[in-house]
Amino acid sequence: MNNDITMPRSLNYIDGQWCHGGDREIPVYNPADGSQIGSIPCSDAATVDKAVKAARAGFENPEWRNLAPMAREALLHRLANLIEENAEQLAKIESLDNGKPIAFSSTLDVPLCTSWFRYFAGWCSKLSGKSLNPALQAAGSHHVYTRREPIGVVGAIVPWNFPLVLAVWKLAPALAAGCTVVIKPAELTPYSVLKLAELVDQAGFPKGVFNVVLGDGSTGQAIVDHPGVNKISFTGSTAVGKSILRSVSHDLKRVTLELGGKSPTIIMPDADMSLAIPGATQAAFVNSGQICFAGTRLFAPRKHFEQILDGVADAASSFKIGPGLDPTSMLGPVISQKQMDGIFTRIDSSVQQGASLHSGGKRIGDAGYFIEPTILVTDDNQNPAFREEFFGPVLTATPYDDLDELVALANDSSYGLAAHVYTSQLNAAHQLAAKLEAGTVWVNTQLSPDPNIPFGGFKQSGWGRENGEDVFEHYLETKSVIMSLGN
Ligand code: NAD
Ligand code: MN
């Protein structure tokens, strides 16, 4: 099935060169059948050091540092063009490596990457400081301005659920800001970022501007610990996010974190069910539930509860489950044996602690890591199904009786990444949007990130916002220049 895929080299890309790093190799698997598709170096601290030094030299290099903003913009557009030209290969690589349906990777993941580079290309020429008047000095006595300077070397660490998209969410603004990057893709899904490195090379970025270091958590830790890195941009688990914060406490390098979620989908009694039911189903199960902002807690009015649950279960069972490279698949496997085992352990302990299994709950086949779309029901806010991120195709449904109770229920989470609301009442929509503790609230729609719209978490879902103009706060430092005019 994968004969027409040309895999990129399984090597680090540092200072414009493909190179090994470390003595250990990490096998990489196809989650649709468990077969090994390659192996990557588990790069050691010395290799990370080489990459960070290359990125530092790249940052100091006048060919990058002094490049006219519109020349940087042109480079980003050239990269976007190359992604378009290589879209089919990129989508296939992503589907092979991650397991996600090609129907999504070819229409969503890869086109989103092109859009992100094009959108951020436009920002290159719009990042400026301001001229200011000091408040305590005589008018006209000083010339004061701010400069917005690229923060320097960015260490980007990304997960496996959207390997290319989440990498590009960091790369596009970091490069637009004039930073240089050392990126570590997840060890489970390294290949689309390696293919991107080939395209960066072809696009003609100066060497050292973009570096890929392969490896596992130990490699990520070496990036976090490296004193030459100015900023860490991390997407992944809340546990690792917290450990990164502890690690950077010794040098206070800048950090942004996009972490987990347990986002509510709220169906109001007046909702248009022909919108709400397929919407709630997609919010929970697309990408096999491996989306940080998936709508994994469904709140439905008690009097429509059974009807809504049956509707969601029906809609979910209509998704064809199969290997990512099969063009008819709508749901792929979860990423790994370990992830699958963890999901089943959580389903079991939720049921043992009183949740009921409405539908699904079983593995499909015995090759690959396919799990049936699963619905658990609980009204116990201490049940793991209510509290914990499963990161798989599992939806937890809870009935509600009145609207005051609803907001408290929806906000009863240590996370606060997103929320989905389905209602036909304008006032209810805006009132809920204001009360929900979530970085993004979708109303009568779901799962639609946009490069111009800030995205990030309240509470333990993270620090900082990606996308939109807001993201530049994290890739630029503000410098104030105060000059006496001598009068
Ligand atoms: P993870 O946090 O362990 O891994 C994410 C990235 O961080 C990977 O590249 C990994 O190699 C790296 N990493 C691991 N330990 C590190 C360390 N100490 N220092 C620096 N980098 C380190 O996440 P995972 O194991 O891939 O997934 C586990 C859970 O994370 C999932 O079940 C899910 O709950 C959550 N997750 C969230 C997102 C999201 O988009 N927010 C994405 C994937 C996974
Ligand atoms: Mn893989």
Side-chain angles (χ1 to χ4, degrees):
M1 198 189 296
N2 56 9
N3 292 345
D4 56 346
I5 302 181
T6 312
M7 296 301 277
R9 274 161 285 200
S10 295
L11 292 172
N12 297 312
Y13 178 74
I14 297 175
D15 208 20
Q17 309 287 326
W18 297 90
C19 58
H20 287 278
D23 327 312
R24 203 150 62 79
E25 287 277 312
I26 304 174
V28 183
Y29 300 100
N30 172 359
D33 61 12
S35 65
Q36 187 173 341
I37 56 174
S39 75
I40 55 165
C42 184
S43 301
D44 55 16
T47 308
V48 168
D49 182 57
K50 195 166 101 175
V52 173
K53 286 186 173 136
R56 175 62 52 194
F59 184 65
E60 306 294 347
N61 179 358
E63 276 181 50
W64 179 244
R65 188 139 194 180
N66 300 343
L67 199 60
M70 286 195 70
R72 208 157 71 231
E73 173 172 351
L75 274 174
L76 289 173
H77 277 298
R78 210 172 300 152
L79 180 56
N81 293 343
L82 286 164
I83 292 173
E84 261 166 4
E85 286 163 26
N86 290 272
E88 196 185 319
Q89 277 295 313
L90 276 165
K92 284 181 177 170
I93 290 168
E94 197 75 320
S95 288
L96 173 67
D97 199 2
N98 164 281
K100 66 177 63 206
I102 189 94
F104 288 91
S105 57
S106 63
T107 60
L108 214 67
D109 298 64
V110 174
L112 284 178
C113 291
T114 314
S115 301
W116 247 254
F117 277 116
R118 291 207 192 290
Y119 169 84
F120 279 105
W123 274 109
C124 294
S125 58
K126 281 124 201 129
L127 302 169
S128 301
K130 289 181 197 161
S131 160
L132 296 167
N133 296 324
L136 297 178
Q137 308 289 343
S141 64
H142 288 73
H143 173 46
V144 180
Y145 59 96
T146 57
R147 292 170 47 78
R148 296 178 81 198
E149 300 180 354
I151 200 161
V153 175
V154 172
I157 300 172
V158 292
W160 42 260
N161 56 333
F162 285 84
L164 194 59
V165 169
L166 294 178
V168 168
W169 281 22
K170 301 184 186 317
L171 295 169
L175 297 174
C179 296
T180 58
V181 181
V182 174
I183 186 164
K184 193 196 84 60
E187 57 274 36
L188 294 168
T189 55
Y191 287 109
S192 54
V193 168
L194 289 172
K195 180 71 192 174
L196 186 70
E198 283 180 9
L199 305 181
V200 168
D201 201 85
Q202 279 179 46
F205 283 81
K207 62 193 175 93
V209 167
F210 174 85
N211 306 276
V212 182
V213 175
L214 302 167
D216 63 11
S218 66
T219 313
Q221 185 72 50
I223 297 173
V224 169
D225 289 339
H226 198 293
V229 173
N230 298 97
K231 183 223 155 66
I232 296 292
S233 181
F234 173 77
T235 301
S237 62
T238 296
V240 172
K242 288 178 181 176
S243 97
I244 287 175
L245 275 188
R246 287 190 291 274
S247 298
V248 302
S249 68
H250 75 279
D251 67 357
L252 298 181
K253 58 168 67 78
R254 306 308 187 237
V255 179
T256 42
L257 305 169
E258 293 292 345
L259 308 176
K262 190 80 182 176
S263 298
T265 296
I266 293 173
I267 300 183
M268 298 289 279
D270 61 273
D272 174 350
M273 293 299 165
S274 71
L275 210 64
I277 288 173
T281 311
Q282 285 179 34
F285 297 120
V286 164
N287 215 47
S288 298
Q290 303 168 119
I291 302 185
C292 50
F293 50 86
T296 49
R297 288 183 302 145
L298 174 65
F299 296 100
R302 195 178 297 275
K303 70 173 192 278
H304 306 302
F305 192 65
E306 284 308 320
Q307 172 213 339
I308 289 172
L309 248 56
D310 292 345
V312 171
D314 268 5
S317 68
S318 76
F319 291 148
K320 184 170 175 231
I321 301 177
L325 287 173
D326 177 341
T328 63
S329 296
M330 295 302 282
L331 283 185
V334 299
I335 191 68
S336 65
Q337 175 85 43
K338 182 171 165 234
Q339 189 72 10
M340 181 176 72
D341 294 345
I343 292 164
F344 283 126
T345 302
R346 288 187 156 115
I347 292 174
D348 290 346
S349 70
S350 303
V351 170
Q352 268 160 31
Q353 292 174 56
S356 58
L357 181 67
H358 174 276
S359 44
K362 289 196 294 293
R363 183 175 181 184
I364 301 169
D366 52 13
Y369 317 121
F370 296 94
I371 301 180
E372 290 176 341
T374 299
I375 302 178
L376 294 167
V377 177
T378 185
D379 55 9
D380 172 11
N381 69 353
Q382 296 308 309
N383 191 284
F386 193 95
R387 300 226 77 83
E388 290 174 21
E389 184 180 47
F390 285 29
F391 229 65
V394 183
L395 174 64
T396 301
T398 303
Y400 67 85
D401 292 302
D402 64 74
L403 297 182
D404 299 335
E405 175 198 33
L406 174 62
V407 171
L409 272 172
N411 286 338
D412 185 359
S413 172
S414 58
Y415 295 113
L417 196 52
H420 302 90
V421 175
Y422 291 89
T423 180
S424 305
Q425 287 174 269
L426 270 178
N427 56 351
H430 292 298
Q431 282 165 8
L432 276 171
K435 286 180 185 161
L436 289 168
E437 296 166 352
T440 299
V441 179
W442 278 285
V443 181
N444 294 335
T445 182
Q446 64 287 326
L447 306 183
S448 47
D450 185 286
N452 197 36
I453 302 176
F455 178 83
F458 280 32
K459 301 193 277 189
Q460 293 188 35
S461 288
W463 276 11
R465 292 292 176 272
E466 296 201 283
N467 305 331
E469 188 177 2
D470 294 38
V471 75
F472 288 109
E473 206 180 301
H474 309 299
Y475 293 113
L476 297 167
E477 289 276 23
T478 298
K479 178 184 284 175
S480 298
V481 180
I482 303 161
M483 180 180 176
S484 166
L485 297 180
N487 56 356

